[in-house]
Amino acid sequence: MTGAAGYIGGRLVPELLDAGHEVRCMVRSSGRVRDQPWASQVEVAEADATDAAQVDRALDGVDVVYYLIHTMGGGRDFAAADREAATTFAAACERAGIRRVVYLGGLAPDGKLSPHMSSRTEVGQIFLDSAVPAVVLRAAMIIGSGSASFEMLRYLTERLPVMTTPRWVSTRTQPIAIRDVLRYLVAWASVTEEVNRSFDIGGPDVLTYADMMRVYADVAGLTRRLIIPVPLLSPGLSSHWVGLVTPVPAGLARPLVESLRNEAVCGEHDVARYVPDPPGGLIGLRRAVELALVKIKEADVATRWSSASTPGAPSDPLPTDPGWAGGSLYLDARARRVNASPQQLWEVVEAIGGEAGWYSLPIAWHLRGLMDRAVGGVGLRRGRRDPRRLRVGDSVDFWRVEEVRPGRLLRLRAEMRLPGLAWLELRVLEHEGATVYGQRAVFHPRGLSGHLYWWSVSPFHTLIFGRMLRNVAAAAEHGPVSPRPPRATGAGPPGDAATARGGPQRGGRAAVTRPVS
């Protein structure tokens, strides 16, 4: 396996392991895969694809090779570098007696191609022309969280309810779900027939890029997007526009934009002769987007933001994905040492809300409750079931208890009216023998209004959350909390806990308020 540190490779390795294969990963530095969850289950060979001697050692005893190397960055010589690496690697495969090379390329029609698509086509042909049988799978846009092309679609759709767009939004393409891509790749390790050809692979839907943005908006619960194509934006200008609107780097956006100028529709489905379609058929765009998105239904949302480092499916983000992958999530995280026992701190945490208040500004609390009721929300009417104890499913003012780990963690999910999803997490920690109070608020915005909401309330976070941090610590230090303290202990607006993925900084006292994309 080459490219094991990349988007496809990082997801393909565990699929191959699950299928019973022994896997050796070839990387330039072993540190690139050290933090992968499967790192201890594979062999790692350090080699540069342009160094024949190193590649020879890496391929010793190998049966099937997956070649997933491709330069996506800028620079004038990327095509020459790709050509040199593929030529060197193909020759090494011949010397090693490899049974099959599997290469994932790009789907594009014959004719004028973008420089990056031309390079990928050339690399595929190098392997097809070698003495080792090769299978070249040609895919268009891959739909899965972490895929650069999907992340570009996600951010453009979420952040722009009205957009003037280049003409490439009218180009037809045939996207494919990451699960189907991996299914094809894994299957070719076991196909016994000798095959040396390319195959087009795509999902069941053929759409324009504008169509895909509309499908994404519908699945994500956004209002219908108004898309106005204009003929003025060149690929260079388009990539800078994408870089401005989204966190996808302009250097990466350019090859993606350039490829969108070419129609990418499958011309055949011959791959099904060797790898039959699954019983339920290939995954359509709508279902692929659902799998790639953070679920917004109550039953599915529970710990999605907090468990991103332990993906459960190929369409989930991996910890090694780029920092901008996975959508926009905002975080306010703080921590403070407390001169009290963990039990004393937990008593304060578990009794929070209701008559105990939120240990911040009472007037802000009441105003936020009134604002929520004014737009049809629950406001402050519910209080809490028990002044001292909480269980999963309890209501606490306009929060819902999502998780309780006695003595350690209380996680609340907001049920006030918000343009997104919000959580408030309170932790009792121990560090070097000291008790530490950890507090973080997380927000997953929905559409442009969600981003505007976050930035409108974030200036108040130091006042609200900083005061809450200090007062919770002080309450623990002064003894067990009374079930009905004076209202002067106050309450900050939980709506300002609006924020979603990432972890608090460590230390005696720390605070960070930042977007995590």
Side-chain angles (χ1 to χ4, degrees):
M1 165 75 67
T2 67
Y7 173 71
I8 297 293
R11 288 158 170 78
L12 178 57
V13 169
E15 298 294 318
L16 289 169
L17 292 171
D18 288 346
H21 300 291
E22 297 179 35
V23 179
R24 179 183 299 159
C25 297
M26 191 191 92
V27 291
R28 281 181 291 182
S29 171
S30 58
R32 301 192 66 189
V33 296
R34 180 181 55 211
D35 295 330
Q36 291 277 13
W38 41 257
S40 63
Q41 303 174 60
V42 302
E43 293 182 28
V44 177
E46 291 190 342
D48 187 312
T50 61
D51 188 313
Q54 292 181 0
V55 176
D56 284 342
R57 289 192 294 271
L59 294 181
D60 183 38
V62 169
D63 179 41
V64 174
V65 165
Y66 287 89
Y67 191 81
L68 302 176
I69 297 174
H70 178 64
T71 305
M72 283 296 289
R76 298 179 180 179
D77 299 329
F78 73 89
D82 283 347
R83 184 183 308 115
E84 179 186 4
T87 301
T88 301
F89 201 90
C93 288
E94 293 178 2
R95 292 191 296 271
I98 300 299
R99 178 171 66 87
R100 170 174 294 138
V101 173
V102 182
Y103 172 65
L104 180 63
L107 177 61
D110 296 332
K112 186 176 181 181
L113 302 177
S114 69
H116 281 267
M117 192 59 69
S118 295
S119 177
R120 299 184 75 170
T121 301
E122 181 184 16
V123 167
Q125 195 60 48
I126 288 171
F127 286 110
L128 291 172
D129 292 340
S130 75
V132 176
V135 170
V136 176
L137 301 178
R138 307 197 313 164
M141 181 176 174
I142 296 176
I143 304 298
S145 184
S147 162
S149 53
F150 174 74
E151 296 299 339
M152 191 171 82
L153 173 72
R154 181 207 299 266
Y155 286 115
L156 287 175
T157 309
E158 287 187 350
R159 296 186 175 185
L160 297 176
V162 178
M163 61 189 101
T164 55
T165 56
R167 284 180 295 183
W168 48 256
V169 299
S170 299
T171 303
R172 294 196 312 157
T173 189
Q174 192 166 348
I176 183 169
I178 179 62
R179 297 185 185 213
D180 282 332
V181 173
L182 296 177
R183 186 178 59 83
Y184 282 129
L185 288 169
V186 170
W188 279 105
S190 303
V191 173
T192 57
E193 294 94 331
E194 184 171 310
V195 181
N196 187 68
R197 60 161 290 182
S198 63
F199 295 93
D200 293 351
I201 58 172
D205 302 317
V206 176
L207 317 94
T208 66
Y209 199 84
D211 292 333
M212 288 193 291
M213 286 192 281
R214 294 186 181 102
V215 170
Y216 181 98
D218 187 46
V219 173
L222 304 172
T223 57
R224 183 176 177 83
R225 272 30 196 164
L226 178 60
I227 301 168
I228 307 171
V230 295
L232 305 177
L233 294 178
S234 66
L237 289 175
S238 293
S239 64
H240 288 296
W241 171 68
V242 171
L244 178 66
V245 175
T246 81
V248 179
L252 180 57
R254 177 153 190 157
L256 296 176
V257 168
E258 288 175 336
S259 66
L260 289 172
R261 292 187 302 170
N262 300 108
E263 187 173 272
V265 178
C266 295
E268 42 82 10
H269 190 52
D270 296 347
V271 70
R273 300 176 188 173
Y274 305 94
V275 185
D277 292 348
L282 298 170
I283 298 172
L285 177 64
R286 176 173 291 273
R287 179 57 181 157
V289 172
E290 290 174 350
L291 293 169
L293 284 179
V294 175
K295 299 295 188 294
I296 60 174
K297 294 181 180 179
E298 181 173 336
D300 297 325
V301 78
T303 57
R304 179 61 177 76
W305 65 269
S306 62
S307 59
S309 62
T310 54
S315 49
D316 290 338
L318 285 175
T320 50
D321 285 344
W324 42 262
S328 296
L329 299 140
Y330 294 107
L331 169 71
D332 183 287
R334 301 166 190 268
R336 184 185 182 96
R337 290 180 183 269
V338 180
N339 186 23
S341 69
Q343 179 58 34
Q344 288 174 307
L345 177 58
W346 177 250
E347 288 180 9
V348 177
V349 167
E350 193 175 14
I352 203 165
E355 290 298 318
W358 295 87
Y359 298 90
S360 193
L361 298 175
I363 188 171
W365 170 270
H366 290 296
L367 285 175
R368 189 62 183 86
L370 291 174
M371 290 169 57
D372 192 52
R373 291 195 65 179
V375 294
V378 297
L380 301 177
R381 292 173 292 179
R382 299 187 306 188
R384 49 179 291 158
R385 173 188 59 86
D386 185 295
R388 289 186 179 275
R389 298 288 178 263
L390 288 175
R391 61 190 179 193
V392 173
D394 281 356
S395 62
V396 182
D397 298 321
F398 36 48
W399 300 90
R400 181 74 61 180
V401 178
E402 191 171 81
E403 185 172 0
V404 179
R405 297 179 194 168
R408 292 295 176 186
L409 168 69
L410 172 63
R411 180 180 297 132
L412 306 171
R413 186 180 71 249
E415 291 191 330
M416 73 282 285
R417 294 295 183 93
L418 291 171
L421 300 169
W423 294 265
L424 181 62
E425 182 180 272
L426 311 179
R427 287 183 178 269
V428 177
L429 309 167
E430 293 184 67
H431 179 70
E432 296 180 349
T435 303
V436 177
Y437 170 52
Q439 171 186 297
R440 64 176 179 176
V442 184
F443 183 60
H444 173 222
R446 182 180 296 117
L448 181 62
S449 61
H451 293 279
L452 295 176
Y453 173 81
W454 164 257
W455 290 113
S456 69
V457 300
S458 60
F460 303 102
H461 285 173
T462 298
L463 178 64
I464 299 298
F465 292 131
R467 184 182 294 250
M468 182 177 177
L469 186 80
R470 294 191 301 271
N471 289 346
V472 167
E477 292 169 348
H478 296 157
V481 67
S482 167
R484 293 181 179 271
R487 290 296 291 182
T489 54
D496 293 340
T499 45
R501 192 174 65 186
Q505 296 181 351
R506 304 299 181 192
R509 296 186 184 184
V512 56
T513 303
R514 60 188 174 91
V516 181
S517 295

